Amino acid sequence: MKLNERQKKILQIVKENGPITGEQIASELSLTRATLRPDLSILTMTGMLEARPRVGYMYVGKKNASMLHEKLDTLTVGEFMSSAKVIHESMTVYDAIVHLFLEDVGSLFVVGNDHALVGVLSRKDFLRAAIGNQELDSLPVNIIMTRMPNLTVCEKTETLIGAGMKLIEKQIDSMPVVENSDGILKVVGRMTKTNMTKVLVALARDEEI
Ligand code: ADP
């Protein structure tokens, strides 16, 4: 939430002098208590200030923010990932497009014979192939996919924030969640911008996550 200048000043006063009454805050700002009422309501409703009867206003904004911070540090990819949608590298682009619709996803992960991750296909890859006058029903996906070693991946144990930063930095919508099994990268899940958005909404609603 964006605070106005007066709300910021009130927070500063309560932080330095709390607990402090509404009257005292008003006199610090050379304003009347009535003028401050809407600002004080907003600050208490959003949880930045706590109003204790007969005690006054106390600052809690910092506490909430650092609690959120601590909570975020404990959330991991494994808890929030979706199930992976993988296809074999020999599948035709046409069949993969059908797959994309049937699975209702924005990208597909591609594996080889040993089930090792070899590539990623996004909507743009399919569009590029579709406008390129190619035979989509005979062209295998491994010709058009983004391939190893250029893939961005994450692991179950990674923090959600770390994974979010990778998505932003690389400007991609999703990443395979992988497990290293004897040197082979196996796909165990999918971490997407939608997964991140769901967590954000749950945190904002203060849901148990
Ligand atoms: P869209 O095509 O819908 O914009 P993305 O932004 O995810 O979706 O994909 C953009 C490009 O980045 C595509 O060429 C895609 O193959 C590639 N890409 C997508 N995800 C990854 C990933 N995890 N690692 C490397 N490249 C990726």
Side-chain angles (χ1 to χ4, degrees):
M1 193 192 77
K2 203 155 160 40
L3 300 178
N4 66 31
E5 283 311 309
R6 191 193 287 159
Q7 289 160 354
K8 283 185 198 159
K9 277 190 197 153
I10 296 174
L11 276 187
Q12 196 58 34
I13 291 169
V14 181
K15 207 174 188 180
E16 286 165 8
N17 308 294
I20 180 170
T21 66
E23 289 295 339
Q24 286 166 324
I25 301 171
S27 90
E28 287 268 339
L29 292 171
S30 311
L31 294 168
T32 65
R33 172 83 179 79
T35 315
L36 286 193
R37 194 160 291 132
D39 293 318
L40 287 168
S41 313
I42 287 171
L43 292 171
T44 45
M45 275 188 313
T46 52
M48 291 185 211
L49 292 184
E50 193 184 322
R52 295 232 179 116
R54 287 180 298 282
V55 177
Y57 290 94
M58 294 178 45
Y59 182 75
V60 281
K62 184 91 183 294
K63 199 168 99 207
N64 279 349
S66 68
M67 272 164 61
L68 181 64
H69 200 255
E70 270 172 31
K71 173 99 189 166
L72 282 175
D73 279 344
T74 67
L75 307 180
T76 59
V77 167
E79 300 167 74
F80 299 97
M81 65 187 197
S82 309
S83 62
K85 308 297 172 199
V86 300
I87 57 170
H88 191 266
E89 61 180 332
S90 61
M91 187 183 263
T92 67
V93 173
Y94 184 94
D95 285 346
I97 293 174
V98 173
H99 211 74
L100 192 82
F101 279 101
L102 291 178
E103 295 284 2
D104 194 17
V105 288
S107 37
L108 296 168
F109 304 143
V110 186
V111 295
N113 284 337
D114 50 3
H115 298 289
L117 173 68
V118 291
V120 170
L121 286 159
S122 78
R123 286 177 278 226
K124 232 174 275 161
D125 299 324
F126 288 123
L127 285 172
R128 199 181 297 118
I131 60 171
N133 271 338
Q134 312 198 53
E135 299 289 332
L136 300 187
D137 51 2
S138 60
L139 186 71
V141 287
N142 63 10
I143 304 294
I144 67 157
M145 68 189 187
T146 301
R147 59 184 59 247
M148 278 295 199
N150 300 322
L151 300 187
T152 304
V153 299
C154 63
E155 291 183 15
K156 270 179 169 182
T157 50
E158 240 173 276
T159 65
L160 208 59
I161 293 301
M165 281 161 66
K166 280 187 184 174
L167 290 176
I168 291 170
E169 243 168 58
K170 305 285 178 173
Q171 302 186 358
I172 47 177
D173 292 351
S174 69
M175 284 184 288
V177 183
V178 296
E179 245 169 43
N180 192 329
S181 133
D182 297 329
I184 292 178
L185 284 189
K186 294 261 163 75
V187 182
V188 294
R190 185 165 59 103
M191 194 66 208
T192 67
K193 284 184 176 170
T194 305
N195 296 127
M196 305 294 302
T197 310
K198 280 185 183 160
V199 177
L200 181 69
V201 170
L203 284 172
R205 288 184 176 162
D206 219 7
E207 283 168 13
E208 199 55 46
I209 57 173

